[in-house]
Amino acid sequence: MQKILTLHTDRRSGLYDITSEVVALIKASRINSGLASVYARGSTAAIMIQENWDQSVQNDVVTLMNKLVPSGIWEHDHQDNNGDSHLKAGIIGPSETIPIINGNPGLSTWQNIFFCEFDGPRERREVVVTIIEDK
Ligand code: ZN
C-alpha cells in the first residue's frame, strides 16, 4: 500500500508532526506485522523520528541545524539562495522506516514522526508512505 500525504508549512525551518496521519494509514492497511517507509519528496526537506513531549526539542533541532549549517556561504546560493536548506535536509535524510508491530507503529511512548522543513514556507509538501507486510 502506498499513499501520499500532503502538508503545508508556515515558516522557513520547522518540524511538523505527521505521526497521526501515518498511524491512520497503518490502521487502514490492516497489516499486523511489517514496515512503514515514510519519505519526504523534495531536496530541502527531511524526515526525523524525535521526541514528542515538548516543542523545545523540535526548536533545538532547528537551532542545531542553523548552527551546523549557516546560511549564505554556499556555492549553491548563487543558484537559488538555499544551499543551507539542501545540506540540512541531506544530513537528516529523506526517510525513516518504522516497524509495524501488532497493527501499530513500533514507536516508543516519546517517539513521533516529524516532517522537517528547511526551505519554507511551502503551500504543498508531499510525504510518501509505503506500507509493506511481513509474510
Ligand atoms: Zn536549491
Side-chain angles (χ1 to χ4, degrees), residues 43-44 76-77 79-83 85-86 119:
S43 60
T44 55
H76 181 75
D77 291 335
Q79 273 85 54
D80 58 0
N81 205 34
N82 65 354
S85 308
H86 293 286
D119 195 24

Side-chain angles (χ1 to χ4, degrees), residues 72-92:
I73 61 169
W74 307 102
E75 190 173 332
H76 181 75
D77 291 335
H78 299 297
Q79 273 85 54
D80 58 0
N81 205 34
N82 65 354
D84 64 308
S85 308
H86 293 286
L87 296 171
K88 291 166 182 169
I91 289 169
I92 295 175

